[in-house]
Amino acid sequence: MQNAGLESLSAVLARQYGQDRTRPRPLPTGFPRLDALLGGGLSPGLTVLGGSPGLGKSTFALQLAAGAAERGVPVLYFSLEMSGARLAAKALSRRMFLAGPPQREGITAAQLYNGEARPTEEAWQAVRRGLERLYVIDTVLPAAEIARTAGDFRDRGETPLVIVDYLQILPAPRGSSEKQQVEESLKQLSRLAHGGFPVLLISSLNRSSYNGSMQLDAFKESGGIEYSADVLLGLQFCACRGRGGWDPNAERNKFPRQVEIAVLKQRYGLSGGTVRFRYYAEFDCFQETEEGDAAGLPERRGPLFVMNNTKLCNEIRSGRAPVGEAVSCRVFEETVTRCRLSGSLSPFDCDVADAVYTLLLRRQKSFSPGDVLRVLSGDARQTITRQKRQVITASLERLRNVEIAIDCTAEMRARGKLGLEETRELSGPFLSAVPEEGRYVFPKDVLPLPLYTYGELTTQMISFPQCLLEVRAGGRRLSNTEGNICLKRYLIRRLEVIRNRRSKAGPAMRSLSFQEGSGLMTALGFAGRSYQTEAAREARRKALAKTAMDVLEYYRRLGYLTGFTPRSDGVTITGEVRDPWQL
């Protein structure tokens, strides 16, 4: 027996883990929860990502590649299906979609590629600078040639991230079966990965696995893939893990799609965790959500809260929407969207509806008035009093008993989401939820909140973290009265519009008036006729103005906004409004 290749484990320890040895750090994926599940990101080794067609495997890989390149990591992206021009269009579309709050408009990759639209100069320059280290090879190469190309690149002094899209169309020697082709490709890519390269390999699934939750046997030639992969990830619809039946076509038609990545195998870590994403397929963008279970990992930025910021919802909040008559709003590109309500709703009712939709996004199948209060206040420990239970229950009943009908056909056509012969109407109860033993249950297969479906279709939903609700003034937490709840949410909506650089209303939003009849005072339900004396009315107005200033001062200390200037009749936001998720 020859000694060639023999090495003691002691020698391996000294070579790999000695004090002078620098271990390669995992490459962050750009998604904190996924990184936490993967022990920091993509480590040297073979990571296989699988999923059924249309779930966004290539889009996810490209977004991960772009993020790595923007952080200075060289990336070799072997694209066997899409040209470099199409990949560049997808990167531009995503960049423009993310340029500002999620409420602004986007341009699809198809519009860019076909010359129907041009990128903004800001997006063009940002993508050019950010992707200088992302190298696309759109020539069909066998796995052995991919390995040689990566090895030649490392000879320059850097180890790149290698992405291969996708396994089943890698060429193999003539006369090989599909099974032999997969096995040969896996052998070559495994050898590359175990040579110190982080390799992300995309794989298709068996057709029989398209509409179910991901399992190890879902991969084509699964024995070889399961055995070779150091990490095996499955991309799937969130709905596939729920009880009862689900409609894959309905999930594909959602905007955004609700998807998740399941860690099916991890050779050097825990398996079984999942991370949820919103997939904006139209704009080639994945956004990690706050409500994923992530194997019990702690919250990093607090839970998600949302508000509807459509013009229709703001008309309803203002009380200007006449009952039983159509409200016409000029919206995208001066198109008109119409809405009809069967009953009146207050600003507080609209805040309650925001809270219910937040609970729906957190995948709760039922909720109590106490759950609504805890979302409204941002305090997960708050208990509900009998009086507040009555107030919230009365609001929920109003929402359930008001019918709403929205005709957004013209707007959806202008946004490019409908054909000339198609229509888009949303109608039903403002809130579809059934009382059941002190709770409210979302019924199956019923549109729960039509106005919020419209908000998602138009991408005009504001999302914000818990810290914006945890207002402290004078060393104490601001009490969560009905008025204070409305005040905080009103100010957040205003500040988020200011933060949106593309919003035409941004400059006008910087001026807040504390006079009767202003938007702020109307949102707080302040009406002079409710007070018997002028002194009482003025005392109440000043109290509300002081509370508003206390909230703005808290946001300034928090770093959410950098400055504001009091006036005799109100306040002007003078400084920058920052991304609240970065606080």
Side-chain angles (χ1 to χ4, degrees):
M1 178 177 177
Q2 297 181 354
N3 291 330
L6 292 180
E7 185 178 20
S8 72
L9 189 58
S10 175
V12 172
L13 285 169
R15 175 166 51 82
Q16 293 289 339
Y17 303 102
Q19 292 183 355
D20 296 333
R21 172 68 173 174
T22 301
R23 300 291 298 169
R25 301 183 65 181
L27 297 177
T29 64
F31 302 109
R33 288 175 174 271
L34 183 59
D35 287 343
L37 278 183
L38 299 179
L42 296 180
S43 298
L46 181 60
T47 299
V48 178
L49 172 66
S52 60
L55 270 173
K57 300 184 296 296
S58 297
T59 298
F60 185 85
L62 178 62
Q63 186 168 338
L64 190 152
E70 289 168 0
R71 292 188 295 273
V73 177
V75 182
L76 301 183
Y77 194 110
F78 294 89
S79 176
L80 282 70
E81 275 198 309
M82 281 183 286
S83 67
R86 288 191 178 275
L87 291 174
K90 290 165 75 73
L92 276 168
S93 177
R94 181 177 64 87
R95 167 67 67 170
M96 286 186 284
F97 180 69
L98 292 175
Q103 291 76 37
R104 55 50 68 262
E105 299 308 313
I107 297 175
T108 67
Q111 290 173 316
L112 292 166
Y113 184 78
N114 295 329
E116 299 172 14
R118 294 184 61 81
T120 62
E121 183 63 23
E122 180 182 9
W124 168 255
Q125 295 297 341
V127 170
R128 286 194 64 190
R129 290 192 302 270
L131 302 186
E132 289 178 348
R133 309 220 70 195
L134 173 51
Y135 305 94
V136 175
I137 302 94
D138 56 9
T139 304
V140 177
L141 300 176
E145 186 62 28
I146 289 174
R148 279 194 291 272
T149 302
D152 291 344
F153 192 97
R154 186 163 65 177
D155 289 342
R156 305 178 189 178
E158 291 183 294
T159 300
L161 166 63
V162 178
I163 298 178
V164 181
D165 185 9
Y166 65 97
L167 171 63
Q168 281 72 23
I169 56 176
L170 286 169
R174 185 175 299 176
S176 298
S177 66
E178 182 179 355
K179 185 175 188 300
Q180 291 171 327
Q181 173 260 324
V182 168
E183 288 177 347
E184 176 61 23
S185 298
L186 283 170
K187 181 175 70 174
Q188 296 291 341
L189 294 175
S190 295
R191 186 177 299 166
L192 174 68
H194 295 153
F197 289 83
V199 178
L200 177 63
L201 173 63
I202 296 175
S203 173
S204 59
L205 306 180
N206 298 309
R207 287 183 179 274
S208 59
S209 303
Y210 281 4
N211 295 332
S213 61
M214 290 289 297
Q215 305 293 331
L216 289 176
D217 60 3
F219 290 84
K220 287 187 174 182
E221 308 297 341
S222 63
I225 296 173
E226 177 187 346
Y227 175 79
S228 301
D230 296 296
V231 178
L232 202 55
L233 305 176
L235 184 60
Q236 62 191 14
F237 287 114
C238 295
C240 74
R241 292 202 302 156
R243 297 180 180 178
W246 64 288
D247 184 354
N249 290 327
E251 295 300 318
R252 286 187 176 88
N253 289 332
K254 289 183 177 180
F255 185 82
R257 298 174 188 172
Q258 307 296 325
V259 300
E260 64 186 13
I261 285 184
V263 180
L264 304 174
K265 173 191 173 183
Q266 193 166 193
R267 199 186 300 276
Y268 307 110
L270 296 176
S271 303
T274 61
V275 181
R276 295 172 186 158
F277 298 85
R278 292 192 184 90
Y279 174 32
Y280 296 88
E282 190 172 1
F283 304 116
D284 297 289
C285 180
F286 280 80
Q287 290 184 337
E288 197 175 68
T289 67
E290 293 299 307
E291 62 270 20
D293 57 26
L297 293 168
E299 296 286 348
R300 289 177 171 264
R301 295 181 298 181
L304 174 78
F305 296 80
V306 297
M307 287 188 294
N308 192 313
N309 198 42
T310 61
K311 284 188 176 180
L312 286 182
C313 191
N314 290 330
E315 284 291 311
I316 296 169
R317 281 193 179 99
S318 69
R320 293 190 295 265
V323 174
E325 298 180 19
V327 177
S328 297
C329 282
R330 290 196 175 275
V331 283
F332 181 70
E333 294 184 352
E334 295 302 305
T335 56
V336 173
T337 288
R338 294 179 173 83
C339 171
R340 187 186 302 272
L341 285 176
S342 66
S344 60
L345 296 172
S346 69
F348 182 72
D349 292 333
C350 293
D351 288 340
V352 168
D354 285 340
V356 172
Y357 190 66
T358 296
L359 292 169
L360 183 63
L361 289 182
R362 294 180 186 179
R363 298 175 64 84
Q364 288 195 208
K365 296 181 179 180
S366 67
F367 61 92
S368 68
D371 292 330
V372 173
L373 176 62
R374 285 183 278 275
V375 172
L376 288 172
S377 66
D379 185 357
R381 297 168 295 182
Q382 182 164 339
T383 57
I384 188 167
T385 64
R386 178 181 297 180
Q387 182 181 3
K388 287 185 177 179
R389 183 182 298 277
Q390 291 173 344
V391 170
I392 292 175
T393 300
S395 178
L396 291 170
E397 290 303 309
R398 281 192 295 273
L399 292 168
R400 290 181 62 243
N401 290 306
V402 168
E403 295 284 327
I404 182 171
I406 303 171
D407 183 353
C408 54
T409 298
E411 181 179 357
M412 292 300 108
R413 286 176 182 168
R415 292 178 183 273
K417 298 180 180 181
L418 281 183
L420 292 177
E421 303 300 322
E422 297 177 290
T423 60
R424 186 61 166 169
E425 297 180 1
L426 305 166
S427 61
F430 201 100
L431 168 60
S432 296
V434 180
E436 189 175 295
E437 298 180 354
R439 297 183 66 82
Y440 289 83
V441 179
F442 292 119
K444 294 181 180 179
D445 304 322
V446 176
L447 195 65
L449 296 161
L451 185 62
Y452 291 78
T453 300
Y454 168 72
E456 293 286 4
L457 285 170
T458 58
T459 63
Q460 294 181 81
M461 298 297 299
I462 291 175
S463 64
F464 61 96
Q466 183 175 2
C467 62
L468 298 191
L469 298 176
E470 298 174 330
V471 175
R472 292 184 176 274
R476 295 190 302 175
R477 186 165 184 160
L478 189 68
S479 62
N480 284 301
T481 62
E482 182 177 328
N484 286 347
I485 285 171
C486 290
L487 172 63
K488 288 184 287 185
R489 290 171 175 267
Y490 178 87
L491 292 176
I492 292 170
R493 284 195 300 275
R494 294 286 292 248
L495 293 172
E496 284 298 288
V497 172
I498 294 171
R499 191 168 71 87
N500 182 358
R501 297 176 184 175
R502 297 183 60 174
S503 172
K504 297 178 181 179
M509 292 286 117
R510 288 184 173 272
S511 178
L512 285 166
S513 172
F514 296 151
Q515 299 303 307
E516 183 178 357
S518 68
L520 174 59
M521 290 301 178
T522 300
L524 296 176
F526 178 78
R529 62 180 180 275
S530 301
Y531 301 89
Q532 294 182 351
T533 66
E534 177 68 18
R537 184 193 69 82
E538 185 61 14
R540 179 57 178 161
R541 188 192 68 80
K542 288 184 176 180
L544 291 173
K546 181 182 183 305
T547 303
M549 294 293 289
D550 287 342
V551 176
L552 291 174
E553 174 59 23
Y554 171 78
Y555 289 159
R556 188 192 64 77
R557 295 199 311 270
L558 191 65
Y560 182 34
L561 62 88
T562 59
F564 59 90
T565 302
R567 308 190 312 263
S568 60
D569 63 340
V571 64
T572 301
I573 307 300
T574 56
E576 176 188 4
V577 180
R578 295 169 174 165
D579 183 355
W581 291 105
Q582 302 301 320
L583 300 178

